[in-house]
């Protein structure tokens, strides 16, 4: 069986989760669900990045130990994962003893083979990014991402010979033009390497909150090295047996553009040093913006995903994320925009369509899905949709995929208007035509439900239930979405309005 491994970044726990965290998690969930529908064996990983100075400082401010702080905060991230209906197979915490042990083993190996050495270092450090900056990369002396002034740090640290891997890394990029998606991100990633690579500090002497360097426990492992390793350590202990052989290399690491450099340079170089395969793709999405700026904890301009889901439901939130913003690019999100789409698309175009179709089958055919009389004009559109979904999902164009599905939803609405079943129902001799139209609408809705499943899983299962289908694995398979898969004779059922219209 083909395997598929997708990851999200592991999120910092210095503050509460926000909509940006929900966004990447849902995107990974969409991919995971889709690949399960293809019949693949899927591993979907998410989790939390719990070491490092922001978490240590947050704990200090609150007068608790770092461990107490992260134990408290992780609950909110696990709650977010649950509430967005993420179907993750594991949730890794970098404070897991199993993870820490494997991080130590990994860097010990690099140390033993001469890839790590001791050196004293002086540099400008942004502790929110957990990264050193060169003067020229600052905005007016401030961190371009956080708007805060970096501190001058001077320490004796362990360095990883990143420079040694620059050529091999560049070759990997040349040989794998789809290593980083999309093209502009690939170019950006390649330009990091083209500019030459300097060795990087991979330990901290002044910080206590981290994984101890095994040969020098006075130092802790740099939080980014610790964090990146999660993608392989998790496979070692998430299951009863070691899953590394089955799932590594990862198919997709999803992330926002803020952390591309770490994933595009440091991570693959670490893997090359360890003689491991590189992930197949990094997919970099844009920022969700409110009022034109990236939402971030440091800036405080965050939209609370819990409040949004509580008020409008999880599927409406998931839908909006991939409908409003082209996946891969930055996009502005707002409550107004959300409510507009909710009403016009979810309530009117989808919810209303389902209740009309079910009501007509009840009214005209006693709730039983009739047999079609012949070929359908919608079969071609369904076949085209199937082709486009496959094409878009194969390049992680989640919004393009949803757009195509929505085009099909709209064609069903047009079909209702054009065929006017209420008129056909008044003419006895047109009963065959009415059967045909009712079947087509039910079948069209079933196909929508299958393709919509990765995006709005609850709604998808509910649509299938109304059409007399269980929404079990078989009903959800992508293969089963082919036109004509709906067996006539099943009974439709009633239910609450899918998306109640907002005032
Ligand atoms: O960077 N729009 O954690 P983090 C879209 N621990 N996505 C956003 C976003 C926004 N406005 N804000 C955040 C870290 N994200 C490290 C990662 S991985 C080995 C270690 C998402 O809590 C996006 O995926 O700052 C971004 O890359 C990630 O959250 C950063 O999360």
């Amino acid at each position: 069986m083909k395997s598929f491994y997708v990851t999200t970044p592991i999120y910092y726990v210095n503050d509460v989760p926000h909509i940006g965290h929900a966004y990447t998690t849902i995107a990974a969930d969409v991919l995971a669900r889709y690949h399960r529908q293809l019949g693949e064996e899927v591993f979907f990983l998410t989790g939390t990045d719990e070491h490092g100075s922001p978490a240590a400082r947050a704990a200090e401010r609150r007068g608790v130990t770092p461990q107490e702080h992260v134990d408290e905060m992780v609950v909110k991230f696990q709650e977010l994962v649950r509430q967005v209906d993420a179907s993750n197979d594991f949730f890794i915490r970098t404070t897991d003893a199993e993870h820490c042990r494997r991080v130590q083993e990994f860097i010990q190996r690099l140390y033993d083979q001469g890839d790590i050495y001791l050196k004293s270092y002086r540099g400008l450090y942004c502790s929110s990014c957990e990264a050193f900056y060169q003067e020229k990369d600052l905005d007016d002396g401030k961190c371009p991402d956080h708007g805060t002034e970096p501190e001058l740090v001077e320490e004796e640290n362990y360095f990883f010979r990143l420079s040694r891997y620059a050529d091999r890394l560049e070759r990997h990029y040349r040989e794998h033009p789809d290593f980083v998606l999309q093209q502009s991100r690939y170019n950006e990633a390649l330009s990091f390497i083209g500019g030459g690579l300097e060795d990087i500090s991979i330990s901290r002497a002044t910080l206590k909150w981290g994984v101890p360097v095994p040969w020098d426990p006075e130092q802790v492992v740099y939080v980014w090295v610790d964090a990146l390793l999660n993608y392989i350590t998790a496979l070692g202990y998430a299951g009863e047996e070691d899953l590394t052989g089955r799932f590594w290399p990862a198919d997709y690491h999803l992330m926002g553009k803020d952390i591309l450099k770490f994933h595009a340079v440091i991570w693959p170089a670490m893997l090359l040093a360890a003689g491991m395969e590189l992930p197949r793709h990094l997919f970099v999405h844009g920022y969700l913006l409110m009022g034109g700026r990236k939402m971030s904890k440091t800036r405080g301009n965050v939209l609370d995903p819990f409040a949004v889901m509580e008020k409008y439901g999880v599927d409406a939130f998931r839908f909006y994320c991939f409908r409003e913003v082209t996946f891969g690019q930055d996009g502005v999100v707002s409550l107004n925009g959300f409510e507009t789409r909710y009403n016009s698309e979810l309530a009117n175009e989808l919810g209303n369509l389902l209740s009309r179709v079910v009501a007509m089958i009840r009214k005209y055919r006693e709730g039983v899905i009739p047999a079609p009389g012949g070929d359908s004009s919608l079969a071609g559109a369904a076949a085209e949709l199937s082709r486009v979904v496959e094409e878009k999902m194969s390049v992680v164009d989640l919004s393009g995929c949803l757009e195509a599905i929505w085009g099909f939803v709209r064609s069903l609405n047009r079909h209702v208007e054009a065929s006017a079943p209420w008129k056909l129902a008044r003419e006895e001799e047109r009963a065959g035509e009415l059967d045909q139209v009712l079947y087509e609408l039910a079948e069209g809705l079933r196909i929508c439900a299958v393709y919509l499943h990765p995006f709005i899983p609850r709604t998808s299962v509910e649509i299938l239930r109304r059409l007399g289908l269980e929404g079990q694995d078989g009903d959800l398979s992508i293969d089963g979405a082919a036109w004509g898969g709906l067996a006539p004779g099943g009974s439709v059922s009633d239910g609450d309005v899918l998306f109640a219209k907002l005032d």
Side-chain angles (χ1 to χ4, degrees):
M1 192 191 273
K2 194 170 178 296
S3 69
F4 182 79
Y5 178 25
V6 60
T7 67
T8 72
I10 50 171
Y11 306 113
Y12 287 133
V13 291
N14 46 314
D15 206 344
V16 292
H18 62 80
I19 199 166
H21 299 134
Y23 186 57
T24 320
T25 306
I26 297 170
D29 188 56
V30 171
L31 278 182
R33 287 178 186 270
Y34 174 72
H35 282 267
R36 286 192 203 102
Q37 287 183 286
L38 290 175
E40 295 172 12
E41 188 183 14
V42 170
F43 195 80
F44 165 17
L45 179 69
T46 187
T48 42
D49 185 354
E50 304 188 0
H51 290 130
S53 42
R57 275 202 315 267
E60 200 177 296
R61 274 198 304 276
R62 298 180 54 218
V64 296
T65 65
Q67 189 67 55
E68 283 168 340
H69 172 72
V70 299
D71 284 347
E72 218 175 283
M73 296 303 291
V74 71
V75 178
K76 299 181 206 289
F77 284 84
Q78 287 167 333
E79 179 71 1
L80 177 80
V81 165
R82 202 183 57 74
Q83 271 189 264
V84 301
D85 275 346
S87 59
N88 57 307
D89 296 284
F90 192 60
F91 186 102
I92 188 171
R93 301 180 58 184
T94 53
T95 51
D96 290 344
E98 290 279 4
H99 168 77
C100 298
R101 186 170 66 75
R102 287 173 168 82
V103 169
Q104 291 185 319
E105 279 171 13
F106 187 96
I107 65 157
Q108 181 74 54
R109 193 157 130 203
L110 266 50
Y111 184 63
D112 292 344
Q113 69 190 33
D115 271 319
I116 291 175
Y117 62 96
L118 193 64
K119 180 177 109 172
S120 68
Y121 188 74
R122 211 174 124 90
L124 293 165
Y125 194 71
C126 169
S127 54
S128 295
C129 296
E130 293 278 14
F132 282 102
Y133 276 95
Q134 305 210 322
E135 206 98 46
K136 66 174 172 51
D137 298 324
L138 299 174
D139 260 359
D140 239 1
K142 300 207 168 104
C143 165
D145 237 14
H146 294 95
T148 48
E149 238 170 76
E151 5 167 6
L152 188 65
V153 171
E154 186 165 11
E155 298 186 345
E156 193 159 65
N157 291 152
Y158 289 98
F159 276 68
F160 168 54
R161 293 189 198 280
L162 184 62
S163 55
R164 200 182 248 182
Y165 295 95
D167 289 349
R168 282 175 63 190
L169 205 52
E170 189 163 357
R171 197 175 334 130
H172 186 84
Y173 271 82
R174 302 274 178 221
E175 286 167 4
H176 300 85
D178 57 355
F179 179 52
V180 177
L181 298 169
Q182 298 155 318
Q183 187 66 43
S184 61
R185 310 287 188 206
Y186 171 92
N187 296 343
E188 191 184 340
L190 193 54
S191 74
F192 297 143
I193 303 164
L197 296 179
E198 288 178 20
D199 294 349
I200 54 156
S201 152
I202 56 134
S203 72
R204 295 288 177 267
T206 46
L207 186 69
K208 294 279 161 273
W209 182 236
V211 179
V213 171
W215 62 88
D216 182 354
E218 288 304 300
Q219 302 232 5
V220 296
V221 176
Y222 174 39
V223 65
W224 267 101
V225 169
D226 170 2
L228 288 163
L229 281 167
N230 92 89
Y231 301 131
I232 45 175
T233 63
L235 295 177
Y237 67 98
E240 276 169 22
E241 63 209 61
D242 192 318
L243 301 172
T244 318
R246 220 144 92 211
F247 291 105
W248 191 260
D251 291 273
Y252 287 99
H253 291 320
L254 299 189
M255 72 202 72
K257 59 186 183 181
D258 49 341
I259 55 176
L260 172 59
K261 196 167 185 174
F262 299 98
H263 286 80
V265 180
I266 301 177
W267 179 226
M270 284 165 62
L271 290 166
L272 285 174
M276 293 189 70
E277 281 187 81
L278 306 197
R280 293 202 171 90
H281 310 283
L282 313 179
F283 189 97
V284 185
H285 63 69
Y287 290 152
L288 296 183
L289 308 165
M290 289 187 75
R293 299 193 83 181
K294 178 196 167 200
M295 282 180 291
S296 83
K297 290 174 277 205
T298 327
R299 290 206 175 102
N301 58 339
V302 298
L303 184 73
D304 181 0
F306 292 108
V308 172
M309 284 185 284
E310 165 99 33
K311 189 158 173 207
Y312 306 97
V314 53
D315 277 1
F317 174 66
R318 291 175 63 114
F319 176 79
Y320 178 68
C321 286
F322 298 99
R323 196 72 184 111
E324 187 73 6
V325 179
T326 302
F327 195 57
Q329 292 169 20
D330 290 354
V332 177
V333 292
S334 70
L335 217 51
N336 265 344
F338 175 89
E339 292 188 344
T340 306
R341 273 203 197 271
Y342 178 101
N343 271 339
S344 65
E345 299 187 347
L346 289 176
N348 284 348
E349 290 174 340
L350 183 63
N352 210 11
L353 174 68
L354 177 71
S355 49
R356 283 177 95 184
V357 170
V358 167
M360 291 190 292
I361 293 173
R362 287 168 74 94
K363 187 164 172 196
Y364 306 133
R365 292 295 177 264
E366 291 166 341
V368 177
I369 296 170
D375 293 344
S376 170
S377 58
L378 286 171
E384 173 62 8
L385 176 62
S386 147
R387 193 191 62 73
V388 176
V389 166
E390 191 187 332
E391 177 192 302
K392 302 285 183 196
M393 291 304 268
S394 72
V395 291
V396 197
D397 181 358
L398 305 186
S399 43
C401 179
L402 192 49
E403 169 73 19
I405 302 168
W406 218 254
F408 190 70
V409 169
R410 288 180 174 153
S411 71
L412 294 179
N413 277 300
R414 284 195 300 274
H415 194 52
V416 174
E417 293 311 318
S419 59
W422 47 92
K423 285 189 192 146
L424 298 176
R426 287 199 294 265
E427 299 169 50
E428 196 50 47
E429 67 283 8
R430 301 184 76 184
E433 273 177 72
L434 181 58
D435 282 349
Q436 173 79 16
V437 171
L438 293 177
Y439 178 85
E440 287 171 336
L441 293 171
E443 174 59 334
L445 271 166
R446 181 190 71 88
I447 289 170
C448 287
V450 175
Y451 288 128
L452 281 171
H453 186 76
F455 297 93
I456 46 175
R458 290 186 189 204
T459 305
S460 150
V461 169
E462 180 58 13
I463 294 172
L464 293 177
R465 191 190 69 76
R466 304 270 177 104
L467 297 172
L469 301 165
E470 286 298 322
Q472 301 296 333
D473 286 359
D475 295 330
L476 291 170
S477 90
I478 293 292
D479 281 350
W483 185 268
L486 178 65
S491 299
V492 298
S493 40
D494 249 349
D496 293 337
V497 168
L498 279 189
F499 298 98
K501 221 167 159 163
L502 308 169
D503 291 334

